[in-house]
Amino acid sequence: APGEPITVSAKIRYSASPSLATLTPLGDWAQLTFNESQRPISPGQAIVFYQGKEVLGGGIIETNAPASHYEMISAVKTR
């Protein structure tokens, strides 16, 4: 895994289109910040990260930012 932030497409819901985001690796965790606001995000949801059609990885959303900033997921346990 890269050690610095990268631009990815991220998909939270099966039926949702991938959205651009910045993925910042933090050891076994990652911080993800979407470029645009998303529907409310809840801990326990799965997320997948892509670059083009390649799957980079994914994880389970552990925490989310305050409601006023729900374009940011503050912690994702990566797999």
Side-chain angles (χ1 to χ4, degrees):
E4 52 188 69
I6 59 171
T7 299
V8 297
S9 293
K11 188 172 177 178
I12 298 173
R13 294 167 184 85
Y14 175 76
S15 61
S17 297
S19 298
L20 286 178
T22 299
L23 179 67
T24 305
L26 303 169
D28 288 343
W29 297 85
Q31 179 174 312
L32 186 77
T33 305
F34 284 97
N35 292 5
E36 297 180 5
S37 293
Q38 302 294 303
R39 289 176 42 201
I41 299 166
S42 299
Q45 288 180 285
I47 189 163
V48 180
F49 315 120
Y50 302 88
Q51 276 192 327
K53 293 184 178 186
E54 180 181 0
V55 175
L56 297 180
I60 303 298
I61 298 168
E62 294 286 333
T63 63
N64 60 328
S68 62
H69 297 94
Y70 53 86
E71 68 276 4
M72 176 189 233
I73 299 170
S74 57
V76 175
K77 179 68 174 170
T78 54
R79 302 229 178 213

